[in-house]
Amino acid sequence: MNMISSQRWNFLRRVLGVFVGRGRGGEREVKIVMGSKLRNGELMLEMEDKSGVAGGVRDAYGEDSATKDQPVTPWTVSVASGYSLLRDPHFNKGLAFTKKERDAHYLRGLLPPAFFNQQLQEKRLMNNLRQYETPLHRYVAMMDLQERNERLFYKLLINNVEELLPVVYTPTVGEACQKYGSIFRRPQGLFISLKEKGKILEVLKNWPEKNIQVIVVTDGERILGLGDLGCQGMGIPVGKLSLYTALGGVRPSACLPITIDVGTNNEKLLNDEFYIGLRQKRATGQEYCELLHEFMSAVKQNYGEKILIQFEDFANHNAFDLLEKYRTTHLVFNDDIQGTASVVLAGLISALKLVGGTLADHTFLFLGAGEAGTGIAELIALEISKKTNAPLEEARKKIWLVDSKGLIVRSRVESIQNFKKPWAHEHEPVKQLIDAVKAIKPTVLIGTSGVGKTFTKDVIEAMVSFNKKPLILALSNPTSQSECTAEEAYTWSQGRAIFASGSPFDPVEYEGKVYVPGQANNAYIFPGFGLGLIMSGTIRVRDDMLLAASEALAAQVTEENYEKGLIYPRFSNIRKISAHIAANVAAKSYELGLASHLPRPKDLVRFAESCMYSPIYRSYL
C-alpha cells in the first residue's frame, strides 16, 4: 500500500472496485476485480467481488465462470511483495532483506533465516565465479545474476571491473554471441525483425520501461571480428548497456538493447536447429533501408528528440551510410567508427609523453581500412588540424592505410569505396604490409583488420629499425583476431615497443623487466560520452565532442601509469574517468549550443557524479 498514493488508491476503490489481499505465495496484491467477457456480441464488465468463501481461491479474472469462447481480460495492479518480490530483479535483494522487511513484505518462510548484507553477497558470488574454469560459464552466471538481482550484478561489476570486464564484454561476449541460441534464457532487449515492418512503433511500446535515454542497436552483420551472427548479435547491445550503467552510471531502466533481424548470410546459423533468428538470407537495398528508416522514425516518435541511439557492429557498407544519413536528424553515435577513434586518439595523445613530439610530428600506418580504421584516421587528422591550424586535407597526408589489396594510393581511387578515398595519397602501389612499413617508415602502427597474426616478427623488427620507441596498437577483437600478442610485441621489439591492444593481455616479463600492456578499450569512452550527452540534454553529436572525450581520457593517465609503459589509466578508476569525460563532452555541447538542459551546472564533474546510478540496496520499509 505504501507504494500507491492514497489519492490513486481511493480512485481505484471508487471507480474500479478493488480489494487488498494476499495472493499466491504470500503476494500482497491490489486486485481490480473486473473480468471482461463477450456476451451476445456485447462487452460486459463484471465488477462484483469474486472472492471465494472460507479462504477459498478467488476467481479474480473471471476465468472459472467463463467458457473457452468467452475472452477474459485480466485487470491487475500489484504491489511487489512476497514471492513476486523475490522474482523481480529490480527489487530483489535475496538474503539481504532485513527481518522487518521480511515481515512487511510477506517474505517469512520464503527465504532461509540467515541475513547476508550486500558486501557478503558480493564476496560469496565472486568466490563462486572464480570456481568456473571456462569464461563462458562465468558469462552465463553473470547474466543469470542480472536477471534475478540487478543491483547486486552492478555492485559486482563496479567493484571488480578489471576482473569482470573481460567476462561481460570482449573477449567473452564474442563467444557468447556465437552460442547465443544455446544460452538464451529470457529476453533482455527487443528483437525487431522484418516481420515487424509497419509495426515497429507498436513493438517499441511493448518494452515495459518508458523513460528510455539510450538505445544500443545492431543488425548483427559484423560482430567483433567474428562476422555475421544475425540475431545472435544481441549479446553486444546487452553487454554494451551493462557497461553504460556500471562504468557510466546511466540507470539500467533507461537503457534498451535492440537487435534488428533482417536475416543472416551465415550458412552455419541457417542450418542450426537452435538458431533463434529469421531463417533467411539478409535483406538488402530498399527493403533494408525502409526497415531502418521506420525504426529510426519510431524511436524518435516514441522517446523524443534526445534519445541517444548507438549503432553497433553494422557492416561497413551500412555503418557509414546510417551515420551519415541520421547524424543531422537524430542523436546518433557509432561506437565502431567514433568510439574506437576517440579511445585510440586518447592513447596517442597520452603516448606523446613517452615518445615525444606532437601528433603532427608522427606518421601513422593502419592495417585495416574499414569502420574502425578510417574512423580513427579521420579523428587523428581532425586533432592535428585543430592543433596546427593546417587544412584537414594536409593533416590527412600524415596517415596511410593498408586494406586487403595493399596500400591505398591515388592510382586505386576509382576502384575503392568512398570512405577510403580521402586516404588515397600519391605513392607507387605496395601489396604487402611489410613493404608498406619499409616504404612509409611509420612511427605508429595500428591494426584494425580483424585478422590475427598479421603483425609478424618481420613487421615488428622493421618498426624497431627506424624507431627508438615504436607505438604498436593491435586493436582487433576478440583476442584470437588480434594482429599480435603483447608477448610478441615486447619480445620482437626487445622491449622497446609501446603496446596496447583491443582485448586484454596479461603482463609480460622480458629480460627481467615486467611490461604491462594497455587496452585500447571502447569502454573507456562510450559510457562517459553517453552520460555527458544525456546529462546536458544534447540533441546532436559533433566531432568536437569526440575530441573533448579523447582529451579528457588522456588527462587521466598518471605518472605511475607511464612508468609501467601504460598509455591508458587503470579501469579500477573508471567511474571517476567517466565523470571527467562526461563533463568535457557536456562542456563542449554547451559551448556549441547543442545542450538543452539549462542553466549549465557550475561544476560539471560533480554534476556528472551526482547523476550516476548507485547499485546500493534501498530500504523497502
Side-chain angles (χ1 to χ4, degrees):
M1 286 298 301
N2 59 330
M3 296 180 68
I4 297 181
S5 69
S6 59
Q7 185 177 7
R8 180 175 292 183
W9 169 241
N10 289 332
F11 172 80
L12 289 172
R13 288 182 63 88
R14 289 196 312 272
V15 178
L16 299 177
V18 300
F19 65 83
V20 180
R22 296 182 61 182
R24 295 185 302 275
E27 176 183 10
R28 179 172 55 180
E29 294 183 327
V30 183
K31 290 279 192 197
I32 303 173
V33 188
M34 180 167 61
S36 60
K37 303 179 183 179
L38 286 172
R39 292 179 183 168
N40 299 323
E42 295 182 351
L43 181 67
M44 305 293 293
L45 298 181
E46 295 193 347
M47 302 292 290
E48 70 269 18
D49 189 343
K50 301 259 182 199
S51 303
V53 295
V57 178
R58 300 180 179 90
D59 181 22
Y61 300 157
E63 292 174 345
D64 294 345
S65 57
T67 63
K68 290 183 178 180
D69 60 346
Q70 293 177 330
V72 173
T73 301
W75 301 81
T76 306
V77 179
S78 295
V79 177
S81 288
Y83 195 63
S84 66
L85 180 56
L86 296 177
R87 300 298 290 266
D88 189 332
H90 302 299
F91 301 108
N92 179 31
K93 298 195 292 185
L95 292 176
F97 283 108
T98 65
K99 178 179 179 298
K100 289 184 178 180
E101 286 175 328
R102 296 183 191 200
D103 287 336
H105 295 284
Y106 306 101
L107 296 173
R108 283 284 181 180
L110 299 181
L111 291 168
F115 169 77
F116 285 11
N117 62 26
Q118 198 172 20
Q119 289 70 33
L120 186 57
Q121 287 180 314
E122 178 186 343
K123 181 179 179 181
R124 182 172 69 95
L125 282 167
M126 286 305 299
N127 182 62
N128 291 344
L129 284 171
R130 288 167 183 150
Q131 305 304 312
Y132 292 112
E133 296 181 0
T134 307
L136 184 61
H137 291 164
R138 295 192 192 102
Y139 175 89
V140 171
M142 285 295 289
M143 293 304 102
D144 285 345
L145 175 61
Q146 187 178 22
E147 291 174 6
R148 71 175 185 271
N149 189 332
E150 185 176 80
R151 288 186 181 273
L152 187 56
F153 169 83
Y154 287 111
K155 185 78 159 50
L156 249 68
L157 192 49
I158 292 168
N159 290 352
N160 305 274
V161 63
E162 290 185 316
E163 183 175 352
L164 294 180
L165 187 63
V167 175
V168 301
Y169 191 46
T170 182
T172 310
V173 71
E175 183 183 0
C177 287
Q178 289 176 308
K179 300 176 180 177
Y180 204 79
S182 299
I183 65 175
F184 177 78
R185 283 167 168 73
R186 54 178 287 186
Q188 294 176 291
L190 282 177
F191 294 88
I192 298 175
S193 74
L194 288 168
K195 293 182 178 180
E196 279 71 60
K197 190 175 181 181
K199 302 177 182 179
I200 293 180
L201 181 60
E202 181 182 330
V203 173
L204 292 176
K205 292 180 183 296
N206 288 342
W207 188 249
E209 302 291 349
K210 305 306 175 187
N211 298 317
I212 301 300
Q213 294 175 316
V214 57
I215 288 170
V216 175
V217 59
T218 186
D219 71 351
E221 189 169 3
R222 192 200 62 82
I223 297 298
L224 301 175
L226 303 171
D228 186 351
L229 297 183
C231 187
Q232 296 187 171
M234 176 58 95
I236 296 295
V238 170
K240 291 277 185 177
L241 285 168
S242 68
L243 299 187
Y244 260 105
T245 298
L247 312 187
V250 179
R251 290 179 298 105
S253 60
C255 300
L256 175 55
I258 295 179
T259 290
I260 306 287
D261 187 359
V262 295
T264 178
N265 294 333
N266 187 326
E267 290 293 338
K268 184 177 179 181
L269 291 179
L270 290 174
N271 295 322
D272 183 354
E273 64 176 323
F274 299 123
Y275 179 55
I276 60 175
L278 287 180
R279 294 180 184 275
Q280 66 173 63
K281 291 291 186 179
R282 278 190 171 272
T284 58
Q286 184 176 352
E287 185 179 17
Y288 179 90
C289 292
E290 287 177 354
L291 186 73
L292 266 293
H293 188 69
E294 182 188 347
F295 167 73
M296 296 298 291
S297 300
V299 165
K300 194 171 181 179
Q301 181 179 345
N302 199 47
Y303 298 118
E305 188 77 26
K306 291 175 284 188
I307 177 73
L308 172 60
I309 304 169
Q310 178 172 314
F311 296 122
E312 197 66 43
D313 286 352
F314 285 78
N316 291 343
H317 56 275
N318 290 321
F320 288 100
D321 290 346
L322 289 171
L323 185 60
E324 187 63 29
K325 181 176 182 179
Y326 294 107
R327 69 190 310 168
T328 58
T329 59
H330 292 68
L331 182 66
V332 294
F333 169 69
N334 186 303
D335 190 42
D336 304 300
I337 299 172
Q338 297 166 296
T340 301
S342 187
V343 75
V344 172
L345 177 59
L348 296 174
I349 293 171
S350 68
L352 294 176
K353 290 191 176 182
L354 297 175
V355 299
T358 66
L359 280 180
D361 296 327
H362 289 270
T363 302
F364 305 84
L365 179 63
F366 286 77
L367 177 62
E371 296 172 55
T374 55
I376 298 166
E378 185 69 9
L379 203 62
I380 293 172
L382 283 169
E383 181 73 359
I384 292 173
S385 176
K386 174 184 172 185
K387 296 297 185 184
T388 62
N389 293 318
L392 183 60
E393 292 75 16
E394 191 67 26
R396 285 175 177 153
K397 292 179 180 178
K398 301 290 293 182
I399 304 166
W400 298 80
L401 279 69
V402 173
D403 64 8
S404 60
K405 292 181 174 59
L407 190 66
I408 296 177
V409 294
R410 184 68 63 186
S411 60
R412 294 180 54 198
V413 74
E414 297 300 324
S415 62
I416 58 177
Q417 295 159 291
N418 287 332
F419 60 84
K420 295 181 183 180
K421 290 182 178 180
W423 313 104
H425 308 316
E426 288 294 344
H427 198 283
E428 65 271 12
V430 178
K431 292 290 186 182
Q432 302 300 322
L433 174 63
I434 182 62
D435 296 326
V437 169
K438 291 176 179 178
I440 303 300
K441 291 183 168 53
T443 54
V444 182
L445 181 62
I446 301 174
T448 61
S449 63
V451 181
K453 305 300 181 182
T454 43
F455 288 176
T456 62
K457 185 178 181 181
D458 288 344
V459 169
I460 302 297
E461 288 179 343
M463 287 291 294
V464 173
S465 69
F466 44 78
N467 289 298
K468 184 179 179 181
K469 290 184 177 181
L471 183 53
I472 298 171
L473 306 181
L475 303 179
S476 294
N477 289 315
T479 309
S480 60
Q481 307 303 116
S482 184
E483 284 77 10
C484 69
T485 67
E487 183 176 8
E488 289 168 344
Y490 292 124
T491 302
W492 294 337
S493 68
Q494 293 87 48
R496 287 161 55 184
I498 297 169
F499 176 80
S501 58
S503 288
F505 285 102
D506 293 329
V508 175
E509 184 176 348
Y510 176 76
E511 293 188 352
K513 184 176 179 180
V514 176
Y515 296 85
V516 182
Q519 187 183 1
N521 195 322
N522 292 23
Y524 277 116
I525 288 290
F526 70 80
F529 187 82
L531 177 63
L533 298 176
I534 291 168
M535 75 184 203
S536 59
T538 297
I539 58 173
R540 297 290 180 270
V541 172
R542 295 289 182 264
D543 288 334
D544 281 348
M545 298 174 191
L546 298 168
L547 297 178
S550 298
E551 291 164 2
L553 176 56
Q556 296 300 307
V557 183
T558 65
E559 288 300 326
E560 182 183 354
N561 299 142
Y562 286 127
E563 288 171 6
K564 296 179 179 178
L566 288 169
I567 57 175
Y568 292 101
R570 298 297 298 268
F571 257 108
S572 55
N573 299 320
I574 188 61
R575 278 210 159 191
K576 175 189 171 186
I577 295 166
S578 292
H580 281 84
I581 291 172
N584 252 33
V585 170
K588 182 58 66 174
S589 180
Y590 281 108
E591 180 186 324
L592 296 174
L594 294 170
S596 63
H597 290 169
L598 301 172
R600 168 181 165 160
K602 292 181 179 179
D603 188 335
L604 284 170
V605 174
R606 181 173 293 183
F607 182 64
E609 291 172 341
S610 72
C611 292
M612 287 184 170
Y613 165 84
S614 170
I616 303 300
Y617 286 149
R618 305 296 194 267
S619 172
Y620 299 150
L621 294 176

